[in-house]
Amino acid sequence: MGGILRNVKISAVGAWVPPRVLTNQDLEKIVDTTSDWILERTGIQQRHIADPEIATSDMAIEAAKLALAERGTTAEDVEAIIVCTVTPDHMFPSTACIVQNKLGAKHAWGFDLIAACSSFVYGLTTAAHLVGAGTHKKVLVIGADTMSRIIDYQDRATCVLFGDGAGAFLIEPGDEDGLGFVGFKNEIDGSGCDVLKMPAGGSRMPPTHETIDKRLHYVHQDGQQVFKFAVRRMGEVSASLLAQHGLKPSDVKLMVPHQANRRIIQACADRLGMPIENVLINIERYGNTTAGTIPIATREALDTGRLKKGDLVLFAAVGAGFTVGANLWRWAY
Ligand code: UT7
């Protein structure tokens, strides 16, 4: 990329979802909904749900192990771990500490990154700069969320949307000119803070009997406001990033968007003038896994031959905050 960064590449991708599946038909028995409504309004057919003994760090570790195995390297070579999540194992210590210890990444530092559905794109941007600065040689970016732990299964407007899962990218110095990190455009519009949030449990509203009775430890969302913002800004920020690098939507071989709603992805592709065949959609099988969607979808793109060396790939997301993120990479392996 232009500027001071050295060449940086994504060198491996791992993804892991818990085996248990919750279908739309299952949800029909829990809340007042229909499988058809969910499919029509969101594109989702099923999602994976973690059993009680599985926490976010467990999924993060599985995804990280798969990425390291693909690269044929060990955790001891990893120098930094960024865990992107809104469902950390605890408020503190960070999930990155738990992952570092259990993975045996003896030489790594790291931290958790909270930017909701945009956090994996923010993590990728951060890792590109750590490696691009020349100070780090192997950085793990992990997107992992156990959304089922903060979803209210009495709220039909949110419980149908989310699932659990994790994915991990390994970021390293690039070795071939023209391949690797191209650029990013990330932003925050904090005026959207109240439309999608978990109201209680932090310093603003610590847990009390009342916060629990009022179900304030779950995701609360004004779906239409999020929908409108996501359609508008995911497209605009992606177009602006492409223009900044003298590229057009038709130059993009594959767009891997955050998977929140099939209709958001379709509208965004339409606005960008990008054929839907060039957009990875797998929301039907996983729902919205928050920080997990982009690495899980990227693993699928590789497994199905939709992403090959030299391809320009666009990652884009919108999340609570609002946060918006877009990254362009030229696939390097
Ligand atoms: O990654 C960021 C996270 N979140 C998102 O990106 C979500 C963005 N928003 C959305 O995806 C959509 O707004 C939803 C899928 C959440 C909702 O779809 P919508 O087309 O915006 O529906 P709506 O909120 O306008 O609701 C339409 C109707 C309402 O009934 P009335 O008031 O018209 O009688 C809802 O009560 O659909 C009802 N409804 C449901 N009906 C059956 C809401 N949820 C359900 C449901 N089953 N699960």
Short mmCIF file of all heavy atoms in Angstrom, two decimals, residues 32-33 37 41-42 117 156-157 160-162 196 221 223-224 226-227 258 260-261 263-264 288 318, ligand 1:
data_model
loop_
_atom_site.label_atom_id
_atom_site.label_comp_id
_atom_site.label_asym_id
_atom_site.label_seq_id
_atom_site.Cartn_x
_atom_site.Cartn_y
_atom_site.Cartn_z
N ASP A 32 -42.90 -16.53 19.21
CA ASP A 32 -43.98 -16.38 18.23
C ASP A 32 -43.38 -15.94 16.89
O ASP A 32 -43.30 -14.74 16.59
CB ASP A 32 -44.98 -15.34 18.77
CG ASP A 32 -46.11 -15.10 17.79
OD1 ASP A 32 -46.31 -15.94 16.89
OD2 ASP A 32 -46.79 -14.07 17.94
N THR A 33 -42.92 -16.92 16.11
CA THR A 33 -42.31 -16.60 14.81
C THR A 33 -42.61 -17.74 13.86
O THR A 33 -43.16 -18.77 14.25
CB THR A 33 -40.79 -16.38 14.95
OG1 THR A 33 -40.29 -15.84 13.73
CG2 THR A 33 -40.04 -17.68 15.26
N TRP A 37 -40.96 -16.44 7.97
CA TRP A 37 -40.68 -15.02 8.28
C TRP A 37 -39.17 -14.82 8.42
O TRP A 37 -38.59 -13.90 7.84
CB TRP A 37 -41.38 -14.58 9.57
CG TRP A 37 -41.31 -13.10 9.81
CD1 TRP A 37 -42.25 -12.16 9.49
CD2 TRP A 37 -40.20 -12.36 10.39
NE1 TRP A 37 -41.82 -10.89 9.83
CE2 TRP A 37 -40.56 -10.98 10.39
CE3 TRP A 37 -38.96 -12.71 10.91
CZ2 TRP A 37 -39.73 -9.98 10.88
CZ3 TRP A 37 -38.12 -11.70 11.39
CH2 TRP A 37 -38.51 -10.35 11.37
N ARG A 41 -37.13 -12.48 5.84
CA ARG A 41 -36.66 -11.18 6.32
C ARG A 41 -35.16 -11.14 6.57
O ARG A 41 -34.58 -10.05 6.66
CB ARG A 41 -37.36 -10.79 7.62
CG ARG A 41 -38.85 -10.60 7.51
CD ARG A 41 -39.16 -9.38 6.66
NE ARG A 41 -40.58 -9.14 6.59
CZ ARG A 41 -41.19 -8.07 7.09
NH1 ARG A 41 -40.49 -7.13 7.66
NH2 ARG A 41 -42.48 -7.93 6.96
N THR A 42 -34.52 -12.31 6.76
CA THR A 42 -33.10 -12.29 7.14
C THR A 42 -32.22 -13.19 6.27
O THR A 42 -31.01 -13.00 6.23
CB THR A 42 -32.91 -12.77 8.60
OG1 THR A 42 -33.16 -14.18 8.66
CG2 THR A 42 -33.84 -12.05 9.55
N CYS A 117 -19.92 -5.83 15.42
CA CYS A 117 -19.81 -6.57 14.16
C CYS A 117 -18.67 -6.08 13.27
O CYS A 117 -18.28 -6.77 12.33
CB CYS A 117 -21.14 -6.53 13.42
SG CYS A 117 -22.45 -7.32 14.38
N ARG A 156 -38.41 -12.13 20.05
CA ARG A 156 -38.38 -12.70 18.70
C ARG A 156 -37.65 -11.82 17.69
O ARG A 156 -37.20 -12.28 16.65
CB ARG A 156 -39.80 -12.98 18.20
CG ARG A 156 -40.62 -11.72 17.94
CD ARG A 156 -41.97 -12.08 17.36
NE ARG A 156 -42.73 -10.87 17.03
CZ ARG A 156 -43.89 -10.87 16.44
NH1 ARG A 156 -44.47 -12.02 16.12
NH2 ARG A 156 -44.51 -9.74 16.16
N ALA A 157 -37.56 -10.51 17.99
CA ALA A 157 -36.93 -9.60 17.04
C ALA A 157 -35.41 -9.74 17.02
O ALA A 157 -34.76 -9.32 16.06
CB ALA A 157 -37.32 -8.16 17.36
N VAL A 160 -33.78 -14.59 16.70
CA VAL A 160 -33.71 -15.35 15.45
C VAL A 160 -32.45 -15.01 14.65
O VAL A 160 -32.10 -15.73 13.70
CB VAL A 160 -34.97 -15.10 14.57
CG1 VAL A 160 -36.23 -15.49 15.35
CG2 VAL A 160 -35.06 -13.66 14.10
N LEU A 161 -31.79 -13.91 15.02
CA LEU A 161 -30.73 -13.38 14.16
C LEU A 161 -29.35 -13.96 14.42
O LEU A 161 -28.53 -14.05 13.50
CB LEU A 161 -30.62 -11.85 14.35
CG LEU A 161 -31.89 -11.03 14.09
CD1 LEU A 161 -31.65 -9.57 14.48
CD2 LEU A 161 -32.29 -11.13 12.62
N PHE A 162 -29.06 -14.30 15.67
CA PHE A 162 -27.66 -14.53 16.04
C PHE A 162 -27.29 -16.00 16.25
O PHE A 162 -28.15 -16.83 16.57
CB PHE A 162 -27.35 -13.75 17.31
CG PHE A 162 -27.39 -12.25 17.12
CD1 PHE A 162 -28.56 -11.54 17.38
CD2 PHE A 162 -26.28 -11.56 16.65
CE1 PHE A 162 -28.62 -10.16 17.19
CE2 PHE A 162 -26.33 -10.19 16.47
CZ PHE A 162 -27.50 -9.49 16.74
N LEU A 196 -28.39 -0.11 19.28
CA LEU A 196 -28.01 -1.52 19.42
C LEU A 196 -27.03 -1.62 20.58
O LEU A 196 -25.92 -1.10 20.50
CB LEU A 196 -27.38 -2.02 18.10
CG LEU A 196 -26.83 -3.45 18.07
CD1 LEU A 196 -27.84 -4.45 18.57
CD2 LEU A 196 -26.37 -3.80 16.66
N GLN A 221 -32.19 -3.98 20.47
CA GLN A 221 -31.92 -3.43 19.13
C GLN A 221 -33.16 -2.78 18.51
O GLN A 221 -34.25 -3.33 18.58
CB GLN A 221 -31.45 -4.56 18.21
CG GLN A 221 -31.37 -4.16 16.74
CD GLN A 221 -30.70 -5.20 15.86
OE1 GLN A 221 -29.57 -5.03 15.47
NE2 GLN A 221 -31.41 -6.27 15.56
N GLY A 223 -34.09 -2.61 15.18
CA GLY A 223 -33.63 -3.28 13.96
C GLY A 223 -33.68 -2.41 12.72
O GLY A 223 -32.75 -2.41 11.90
N GLN A 224 -34.74 -1.63 12.59
CA GLN A 224 -34.87 -0.82 11.37
C GLN A 224 -33.81 0.26 11.27
O GLN A 224 -33.30 0.54 10.18
CB GLN A 224 -36.26 -0.19 11.31
CG GLN A 224 -37.31 -1.21 10.93
CD GLN A 224 -38.61 -0.56 10.49
OE1 GLN A 224 -38.69 0.66 10.36
NE2 GLN A 224 -39.61 -1.38 10.27
N VAL A 226 -30.79 0.13 12.55
CA VAL A 226 -29.52 -0.53 12.22
C VAL A 226 -29.52 -0.92 10.74
O VAL A 226 -28.53 -0.71 10.03
CB VAL A 226 -29.30 -1.80 13.08
CG1 VAL A 226 -27.98 -2.47 12.74
CG2 VAL A 226 -29.33 -1.46 14.57
N PHE A 227 -30.63 -1.44 10.29
CA PHE A 227 -30.76 -1.87 8.90
C PHE A 227 -30.45 -0.71 7.94
O PHE A 227 -29.64 -0.84 7.03
CB PHE A 227 -32.19 -2.39 8.67
CG PHE A 227 -32.40 -3.09 7.36
CD1 PHE A 227 -32.35 -4.47 7.28
CD2 PHE A 227 -32.62 -2.37 6.20
CE1 PHE A 227 -32.54 -5.13 6.07
CE2 PHE A 227 -32.80 -3.01 4.98
CZ PHE A 227 -32.76 -4.40 4.92
N HIS A 258 -19.88 -8.60 6.37
CA HIS A 258 -20.45 -9.09 7.62
C HIS A 258 -21.84 -9.65 7.33
O HIS A 258 -22.59 -9.09 6.54
CB HIS A 258 -20.53 -7.93 8.61
CG HIS A 258 -21.31 -8.28 9.83
ND1 HIS A 258 -20.99 -9.37 10.61
CD2 HIS A 258 -22.41 -7.71 10.39
CE1 HIS A 258 -21.86 -9.44 11.60
NE2 HIS A 258 -22.72 -8.46 11.49
N ALA A 260 -25.21 -10.07 8.58
CA ALA A 260 -26.23 -9.70 9.57
C ALA A 260 -27.62 -9.97 9.04
O ALA A 260 -28.52 -10.34 9.78
CB ALA A 260 -26.10 -8.24 9.97
N ASN A 261 -27.78 -9.74 7.74
CA ASN A 261 -29.09 -9.91 7.11
C ASN A 261 -28.86 -9.99 5.60
O ASN A 261 -28.19 -9.13 5.04
CB ASN A 261 -29.99 -8.71 7.46
CG ASN A 261 -31.41 -8.89 6.97
OD1 ASN A 261 -31.64 -9.36 5.86
ND2 ASN A 261 -32.36 -8.53 7.79
N ARG A 263 -30.75 -9.33 3.24
CA ARG A 263 -31.27 -8.15 2.53
C ARG A 263 -30.31 -6.96 2.64
O ARG A 263 -30.22 -6.15 1.72
CB ARG A 263 -32.65 -7.77 3.07
CG ARG A 263 -33.74 -8.79 2.70
CD ARG A 263 -35.11 -8.31 3.12
NE ARG A 263 -35.22 -8.19 4.56
CZ ARG A 263 -35.78 -7.15 5.21
NH1 ARG A 263 -36.28 -6.14 4.55
NH2 ARG A 263 -35.83 -7.14 6.52
N ILE A 264 -29.60 -6.85 3.77
CA ILE A 264 -28.60 -5.77 3.89
C ILE A 264 -27.48 -6.01 2.87
O ILE A 264 -27.05 -5.11 2.17
CB ILE A 264 -27.99 -5.72 5.32
CG1 ILE A 264 -29.04 -5.31 6.34
CG2 ILE A 264 -26.78 -4.78 5.36
CD1 ILE A 264 -28.54 -5.31 7.80
N ASN A 288 -25.97 -14.49 12.38
CA ASN A 288 -24.99 -13.44 12.64
C ASN A 288 -24.13 -13.85 13.84
O ASN A 288 -24.60 -13.86 14.97
CB ASN A 288 -25.74 -12.13 12.93
CG ASN A 288 -24.80 -10.95 13.18
OD1 ASN A 288 -23.59 -11.12 13.29
ND2 ASN A 288 -25.37 -9.77 13.27
N VAL A 318 -20.65 -3.39 9.29
CA VAL A 318 -21.24 -2.32 10.11
C VAL A 318 -21.69 -2.99 11.41
O VAL A 318 -22.19 -4.11 11.39
CB VAL A 318 -22.45 -1.68 9.41
CG1 VAL A 318 -23.29 -0.87 10.39
CG2 VAL A 318 -21.99 -0.77 8.26
O1 UT7 B 1 -24.75 -6.66 12.73
C1 UT7 B 1 -25.56 -5.67 13.22
C2 UT7 B 1 -26.65 -6.37 13.94
N1 UT7 B 1 -27.96 -6.22 13.51
C3 UT7 B 1 -28.45 -6.04 12.26
O2 UT7 B 1 -27.79 -5.85 11.30
C4 UT7 B 1 -29.94 -6.09 12.15
C5 UT7 B 1 -30.51 -5.09 11.20
N2 UT7 B 1 -31.95 -5.18 11.12
C6 UT7 B 1 -32.59 -6.23 10.58
O3 UT7 B 1 -31.97 -7.15 10.10
C7 UT7 B 1 -34.10 -6.16 10.48
O4 UT7 B 1 -34.53 -4.88 10.89
C8 UT7 B 1 -34.81 -7.25 11.32
C9 UT7 B 1 -34.57 -8.62 10.71
C10 UT7 B 1 -34.28 -7.22 12.76
C11 UT7 B 1 -36.30 -7.01 11.34
O5 UT7 B 1 -36.79 -7.00 10.02
P1 UT7 B 1 -37.74 -5.82 9.52
O6 UT7 B 1 -38.12 -6.15 8.16
O7 UT7 B 1 -37.03 -4.53 9.78
O8 UT7 B 1 -38.97 -5.99 10.47
P2 UT7 B 1 -39.62 -4.92 11.45
O9 UT7 B 1 -38.74 -4.69 12.62
O10 UT7 B 1 -40.08 -3.75 10.66
O11 UT7 B 1 -40.89 -5.73 11.94
C12 UT7 B 1 -41.95 -6.05 11.03
C13 UT7 B 1 -42.95 -6.89 11.78
C14 UT7 B 1 -43.34 -6.34 13.13
O12 UT7 B 1 -44.72 -6.58 13.33
P3 UT7 B 1 -45.79 -5.42 13.10
O13 UT7 B 1 -45.39 -4.32 14.03
O14 UT7 B 1 -45.67 -5.05 11.66
O15 UT7 B 1 -47.07 -6.10 13.46
C15 UT7 B 1 -42.55 -7.17 14.09
O16 UT7 B 1 -43.17 -7.28 15.35
O17 UT7 B 1 -42.39 -8.19 12.03
C16 UT7 B 1 -42.54 -8.51 13.41
N3 UT7 B 1 -41.44 -9.38 13.80
C17 UT7 B 1 -41.52 -10.72 13.67
N4 UT7 B 1 -42.47 -11.53 13.21
C18 UT7 B 1 -42.22 -12.84 13.21
C19 UT7 B 1 -40.23 -9.05 14.32
N5 UT7 B 1 -39.51 -10.15 14.53
C20 UT7 B 1 -40.28 -11.20 14.14
C21 UT7 B 1 -40.09 -12.59 14.11
N6 UT7 B 1 -41.08 -13.36 13.64
N7 UT7 B 1 -38.94 -13.16 14.53
#
